[in-house]
Amino acid sequence: MTSKLAAAALMAALTAPVLAQSDLSLMPEGSKEVTVSATLGNAPSRYGSALRSTYLVPHFSVEWSNGMFVEGLTLGMQMSRHPMMRYGPLLAPDLGSQHGDGSKGRIRPVVGAFFNYTPMRELSLHAHTFAQANGSGNMLLNLKASTYAALAPRHQLFAGVGANLFNGAAMQADFGAARYHPSGGVRDVYADMRWQWQCSRKYTLTGAVQTSRLLGDAAASPRTSERTGVASSVTLSYSF
């Protein structure tokens, strides 16, 4: 993605629910759940940048009782009805990659898959992977473990830790330069915290903060000026 779109996507990811976490078994047959929201956030303009930008990002999600869902620009399908396990395919657009030489690529389809496992009520394990469908070879894997606590009626606190892994092609696209060719590996590790207040049956207010730390070849890149990045956001959501 371009730097601005990448930061906007990060703001949405900070407050959007983890892909396909809801219990579809509780939804009546033929029904759907729709949520619209707006996120005001501040984040680095891109990973490794010392420049920061403020964004107002709209977000839209819908889930159908048959397992189909849309989360922002991502289309997915839940293949499991097990209440503790979710998995399935994903399809999303890459809104234009920014290469190491500063050039920008075209919009391309991206295919992927997700897997969520909740071994206990307070612990959730999450993984999703994406690869560009045009054969460019760019692939990434996100891993995360999260937990939550009920602070008071209608107030919940979520916390998580995770890592993003890139292959060589994806690392080169984001952090490569004319004389610098990074190899694949762990791009960054991160920790995030999210406070959620269900103001009413339809409105939810969410505050979130995430700290990430670039590692390995991503941290050593000449395009990296700040290894540690902090992003924060506030989101108001309406469900119907």
Side-chain angles (χ1 to χ4, degrees), residues 80-105:
S80 170
R81 292 284 175 167
H82 194 288
M84 309 301 286
M85 187 179 299
R86 295 283 187 259
Y87 56 84
L90 299 169
L91 178 65
D94 177 352
L95 299 179
S97 300
Q98 183 172 9
H99 304 296
D101 59 4
S103 64
K104 297 178 182 179

Side-chain angles (χ1 to χ4, degrees), residues 41 43 51 54 67 71 73 105 123 131 152 161 168 185 189 208 231 235:
L51 300 177
T54 299
E71 188 72 49
L73 297 178
L123 177 64
V161 293
V189 293
T235 298

Side-chain angles (χ1 to χ4, degrees), residues 185-205:
V186 178
R187 183 194 68 176
D188 69 284
V189 293
Y190 63 91
D192 59 38
M193 186 169 293
R194 179 164 52 97
W195 164 74
Q196 184 172 289
W197 173 30
Q198 188 175 357
C199 312
S200 67
R201 188 173 64 86
K202 293 184 176 293
Y203 287 97
T204 301
L205 183 66

Side-chain angles (χ1 to χ4, degrees), residues 10-185:
L10 174 60
M11 289 295 92
L14 275 174
T15 53
V18 175
L19 287 170
Q21 280 284 3
S22 64
D23 188 351
L24 293 184
S25 64
L26 299 180
M27 297 178 63
E29 189 69 25
S31 66
K32 64 179 181 290
E33 294 181 356
V34 181
T35 300
V36 293
S37 60
T39 297
L40 178 63
N42 182 269
S45 296
R46 65 170 181 83
Y47 280 99
S49 174
L51 300 177
R52 300 186 64 85
S53 300
T54 299
Y55 298 92
L56 181 61
V57 183
H59 187 76
F60 172 83
S61 66
V62 57
E63 298 182 28
W64 289 269
S65 59
N66 63 1
M68 296 290 296
F69 65 89
V70 173
E71 188 72 49
L73 297 178
T74 301
L75 172 66
M77 174 68 180
Q78 294 189 14
M79 306 298 291
S80 170
R81 292 284 175 167
H82 194 288
M84 309 301 286
M85 187 179 299
R86 295 283 187 259
Y87 56 84
L90 299 169
L91 178 65
D94 177 352
L95 299 179
S97 300
Q98 183 172 9
H99 304 296
D101 59 4
S103 64
K104 297 178 182 179
R106 302 185 304 273
I107 297 177
R108 300 164 174 167
V110 176
V111 295
F114 70 92
F115 178 80
N116 296 324
Y117 178 51
T118 309
M120 58 186 70
R121 182 176 175 82
E122 295 79 12
L123 177 64
S124 178
L125 305 177
H126 166 73
H128 75 254
T129 183
F130 282 105
Q132 285 186 333
N134 66 341
S136 65
N138 291 3
M139 297 181 63
L140 66 90
L141 172 65
N142 172 261
L143 303 172
K144 183 178 182 180
S146 60
T147 185
Y148 85 99
L151 302 179
R154 297 188 176 185
H155 291 265
Q156 292 181 311
L157 184 67
F158 300 82
V161 293
N164 289 296
L165 290 77
F166 277 31
N167 71 348
M171 199 77 80
Q172 175 66 28
D174 283 357
F175 296 96
R179 298 185 178 180
Y180 184 75
H181 303 284
S183 58

Side-chain angles (χ1 to χ4, degrees), residues 208-237:
V209 61
Q210 176 177 294
T211 300
S212 61
R213 177 74 174 178
L214 293 177
L215 301 176
D217 286 2
S221 169
R223 300 181 63 191
T224 297
S225 53
E226 292 287 345
R227 296 186 178 186
T228 300
V230 178
S232 57
S233 67
V234 176
T235 298
L236 180 63
S237 302

